[in-house]
mmCIF file of all heavy atoms in Angstrom:
data_model
loop_
_atom_site.group_PDB
_atom_site.id
_atom_site.type_symbol
_atom_site.label_atom_id
_atom_site.label_comp_id
_atom_site.label_asym_id
_atom_site.label_seq_id
_atom_site.Cartn_x
_atom_site.Cartn_y
_atom_site.Cartn_z
ATOM 1 N N THR A 118 108.863 96.943 94.752
ATOM 2 C CA THR A 118 109.473 95.667 94.670
ATOM 3 C C THR A 118 108.956 94.710 95.715
ATOM 4 O O THR A 118 109.120 93.464 95.555
ATOM 5 C CB THR A 118 111.030 95.774 94.771
ATOM 6 O OG1 THR A 118 111.348 96.373 96.062
ATOM 7 C CG2 THR A 118 111.528 96.667 93.656
ATOM 8 N N ASN A 119 108.486 95.221 96.901
ATOM 9 C CA ASN A 119 108.063 94.361 97.976
ATOM 10 C C ASN A 119 107.170 95.183 98.926
ATOM 11 O O ASN A 119 107.326 96.384 99.023
ATOM 12 C CB ASN A 119 109.278 93.772 98.724
ATOM 13 C CG ASN A 119 108.868 92.620 99.595
ATOM 14 O OD1 ASN A 119 107.785 91.975 99.370
ATOM 15 N ND2 ASN A 119 109.625 92.320 100.635
ATOM 16 N N SER A 120 106.365 94.471 99.726
ATOM 17 C CA SER A 120 105.564 95.181 100.682
ATOM 18 C C SER A 120 105.150 94.185 101.765
ATOM 19 O O SER A 120 105.113 92.941 101.576
ATOM 20 C CB SER A 120 104.319 95.743 100.015
ATOM 21 O OG SER A 120 103.415 94.742 99.625
ATOM 22 N N HIS A 121 104.745 94.696 102.935
ATOM 23 C CA HIS A 121 104.340 93.855 104.022
ATOM 24 C C HIS A 121 103.354 94.657 104.857
ATOM 25 O O HIS A 121 103.645 95.803 105.365
ATOM 26 C CB HIS A 121 105.436 93.390 104.907
ATOM 27 C CG HIS A 121 105.059 92.614 106.092
ATOM 28 N ND1 HIS A 121 105.690 92.645 107.362
ATOM 29 C CD2 HIS A 121 104.039 91.766 106.285
ATOM 30 C CE1 HIS A 121 105.082 91.836 108.187
ATOM 31 N NE2 HIS A 121 104.084 91.282 107.556
ATOM 32 N N THR A 122 102.049 94.234 105.090
ATOM 33 C CA THR A 122 101.098 94.824 105.864
ATOM 34 C C THR A 122 100.850 94.033 107.109
ATOM 35 O O THR A 122 100.611 92.863 106.991
ATOM 36 C CB THR A 122 99.779 95.107 105.091
ATOM 37 O OG1 THR A 122 100.119 95.982 103.980
ATOM 38 C CG2 THR A 122 98.685 95.761 105.995
ATOM 39 N N PHE A 123 100.773 94.686 108.293
ATOM 40 C CA PHE A 123 100.423 93.922 109.506
ATOM 41 C C PHE A 123 99.670 94.875 110.473
ATOM 42 O O PHE A 123 99.641 96.077 110.253
ATOM 43 C CB PHE A 123 101.680 93.349 110.153
ATOM 44 C CG PHE A 123 102.693 94.464 110.552
ATOM 45 C CD1 PHE A 123 102.802 94.912 111.901
ATOM 46 C CD2 PHE A 123 103.598 94.881 109.627
ATOM 47 C CE1 PHE A 123 103.786 95.882 112.238
ATOM 48 C CE2 PHE A 123 104.627 95.836 109.964
ATOM 49 C CZ PHE A 123 104.648 96.363 111.248
ATOM 50 N N PHE A 124 99.042 94.202 111.508
ATOM 51 C CA PHE A 124 98.294 95.040 112.378
ATOM 52 C C PHE A 124 98.884 94.941 113.845
ATOM 53 O O PHE A 124 99.471 93.827 114.164
ATOM 54 C CB PHE A 124 96.867 94.455 112.493
ATOM 55 C CG PHE A 124 96.045 94.673 111.217
ATOM 56 C CD1 PHE A 124 96.127 93.713 110.123
ATOM 57 C CD2 PHE A 124 95.216 95.817 111.063
ATOM 58 C CE1 PHE A 124 95.432 93.986 108.940
ATOM 59 C CE2 PHE A 124 94.584 96.048 109.924
ATOM 60 C CZ PHE A 124 94.604 95.072 108.812
ATOM 61 N N VAL A 125 98.750 95.888 114.538
ATOM 62 C CA VAL A 125 99.249 95.917 115.901
ATOM 63 C C VAL A 125 98.169 96.531 116.839
ATOM 64 O O VAL A 125 97.354 97.327 116.448
ATOM 65 C CB VAL A 125 100.542 96.723 116.118
ATOM 66 C CG1 VAL A 125 101.702 96.066 115.465
ATOM 67 C CG2 VAL A 125 100.367 98.118 115.665
ATOM 68 N N MET A 126 98.076 96.061 118.103
ATOM 69 C CA MET A 126 97.162 96.548 119.058
ATOM 70 C C MET A 126 97.824 97.616 119.923
ATOM 71 O O MET A 126 98.825 97.333 120.649
ATOM 72 C CB MET A 126 96.591 95.450 119.957
ATOM 73 C CG MET A 126 96.071 94.223 119.071
ATOM 74 S SD MET A 126 94.768 94.796 117.815
ATOM 75 C CE MET A 126 93.401 95.226 119.016
ATOM 76 N N ASN A 127 97.311 98.784 119.949
ATOM 77 C CA ASN A 127 97.916 99.928 120.694
ATOM 78 C C ASN A 127 97.729 99.698 122.217
ATOM 79 O O ASN A 127 96.649 99.159 122.669
ATOM 80 C CB ASN A 127 97.309 101.189 120.319
ATOM 81 C CG ASN A 127 97.475 101.520 118.835
ATOM 82 O OD1 ASN A 127 98.340 100.920 118.164
ATOM 83 N ND2 ASN A 127 96.652 102.430 118.314
ATOM 84 N N ASP A 128 98.736 99.984 122.941
ATOM 85 C CA ASP A 128 98.720 99.896 124.376
ATOM 86 C C ASP A 128 98.848 101.266 124.999
ATOM 87 O O ASP A 128 100.003 101.848 125.138
ATOM 88 C CB ASP A 128 99.923 99.025 124.881
ATOM 89 C CG ASP A 128 99.832 98.636 126.315
ATOM 90 O OD1 ASP A 128 99.293 99.479 127.145
ATOM 91 O OD2 ASP A 128 100.271 97.498 126.651
ATOM 92 N N SER A 129 97.780 101.873 125.325
ATOM 93 C CA SER A 129 97.747 103.279 125.867
ATOM 94 C C SER A 129 98.370 103.337 127.294
ATOM 95 O O SER A 129 98.950 104.366 127.635
ATOM 96 C CB SER A 129 96.308 103.798 125.928
ATOM 97 O OG SER A 129 95.448 102.921 126.840
ATOM 98 N N GLU A 130 98.395 102.206 127.939
ATOM 99 C CA GLU A 130 98.941 102.201 129.346
ATOM 100 C C GLU A 130 100.468 102.378 129.315
ATOM 101 O O GLU A 130 101.106 103.008 130.159
ATOM 102 C CB GLU A 130 98.596 100.913 130.056
ATOM 103 C CG GLU A 130 99.192 100.823 131.457
ATOM 104 C CD GLU A 130 98.783 99.536 132.144
ATOM 105 O OE1 GLU A 130 97.851 98.809 131.696
ATOM 106 O OE2 GLU A 130 99.426 99.130 133.179
ATOM 107 N N LEU A 131 101.064 101.725 128.277
ATOM 108 C CA LEU A 131 102.536 101.706 128.159
ATOM 109 C C LEU A 131 103.046 102.867 127.215
ATOM 110 O O LEU A 131 104.252 103.142 127.154
ATOM 111 C CB LEU A 131 103.061 100.405 127.736
ATOM 112 C CG LEU A 131 102.925 99.236 128.721
ATOM 113 C CD1 LEU A 131 103.409 97.924 128.167
ATOM 114 C CD2 LEU A 131 103.655 99.623 130.065
ATOM 115 N N SER A 132 102.133 103.393 126.392
ATOM 116 C CA SER A 132 102.525 104.510 125.479
ATOM 117 C C SER A 132 102.796 105.749 126.322
ATOM 118 O O SER A 132 102.289 105.967 127.395
ATOM 119 C CB SER A 132 101.454 104.756 124.487
ATOM 120 O OG SER A 132 101.262 103.654 123.622
ATOM 121 N N TYR A 133 103.667 106.614 125.764
ATOM 122 C CA TYR A 133 104.021 107.787 126.466
ATOM 123 C C TYR A 133 103.569 108.994 125.587
ATOM 124 O O TYR A 133 104.028 109.248 124.487
ATOM 125 C CB TYR A 133 105.516 107.864 126.745
ATOM 126 C CG TYR A 133 105.962 109.138 127.346
ATOM 127 C CD1 TYR A 133 105.673 109.423 128.707
ATOM 128 C CD2 TYR A 133 106.742 110.106 126.718
ATOM 129 C CE1 TYR A 133 106.102 110.595 129.364
ATOM 130 C CE2 TYR A 133 107.252 111.228 127.339
ATOM 131 C CZ TYR A 133 106.868 111.462 128.639
ATOM 132 O OH TYR A 133 107.251 112.672 129.293
ATOM 133 N N TRP A 134 102.661 109.769 126.103
ATOM 134 C CA TRP A 134 102.107 111.007 125.324
ATOM 135 C C TRP A 134 101.923 112.087 126.313
ATOM 136 O O TRP A 134 100.874 112.237 126.872
ATOM 137 C CB TRP A 134 100.839 110.592 124.623
ATOM 138 C CG TRP A 134 100.737 111.392 123.387
ATOM 139 C CD1 TRP A 134 100.224 112.696 123.271
ATOM 140 C CD2 TRP A 134 100.895 110.939 122.054
ATOM 141 N NE1 TRP A 134 100.247 113.117 122.013
ATOM 142 C CE2 TRP A 134 100.696 112.060 121.231
ATOM 143 C CE3 TRP A 134 101.422 109.779 121.527
ATOM 144 C CZ2 TRP A 134 100.885 111.981 119.851
ATOM 145 C CZ3 TRP A 134 101.581 109.724 120.139
ATOM 146 C CH2 TRP A 134 101.321 110.805 119.330
ATOM 147 N N PRO A 135 102.993 112.964 126.534
ATOM 148 C CA PRO A 135 102.839 114.018 127.422
ATOM 149 C C PRO A 135 101.658 114.998 127.095
ATOM 150 O O PRO A 135 101.402 115.077 125.956
ATOM 151 C CB PRO A 135 104.187 114.816 127.320
ATOM 152 C CG PRO A 135 105.141 113.808 126.686
ATOM 153 C CD PRO A 135 104.259 112.931 125.823
ATOM 154 N N GLU A 136 101.088 115.590 128.062
ATOM 155 C CA GLU A 136 100.047 116.514 127.892
ATOM 156 C C GLU A 136 100.412 117.626 126.970
ATOM 157 O O GLU A 136 101.483 118.259 127.097
ATOM 158 C CB GLU A 136 99.510 117.015 129.221
ATOM 159 C CG GLU A 136 98.280 117.908 129.131
ATOM 160 C CD GLU A 136 97.786 118.443 130.385
ATOM 161 O OE1 GLU A 136 98.351 118.024 131.472
ATOM 162 O OE2 GLU A 136 96.828 119.250 130.397
ATOM 163 N N GLY A 137 99.665 117.844 125.893
ATOM 164 C CA GLY A 137 99.854 118.854 124.940
ATOM 165 C C GLY A 137 100.779 118.479 123.792
ATOM 166 O O GLY A 137 100.951 119.245 122.886
ATOM 167 N N ALA A 138 101.329 117.253 123.889
ATOM 168 C CA ALA A 138 102.279 116.817 122.870
ATOM 169 C C ALA A 138 101.561 116.470 121.575
ATOM 170 O O ALA A 138 100.380 116.033 121.581
ATOM 171 C CB ALA A 138 103.041 115.596 123.314
#
Side-chain angles (χ1 to χ4, degrees):
T118 61
N119 194 24
S120 68
H121 178 214
T122 298
F123 59 98
F124 294 86
V125 293
M126 307 305 295
N127 301 342
D128 191 326
S129 59
E130 181 181 344
L131 293 177
S132 297
Y133 178 71
W134 209 280
E136 185 177 355

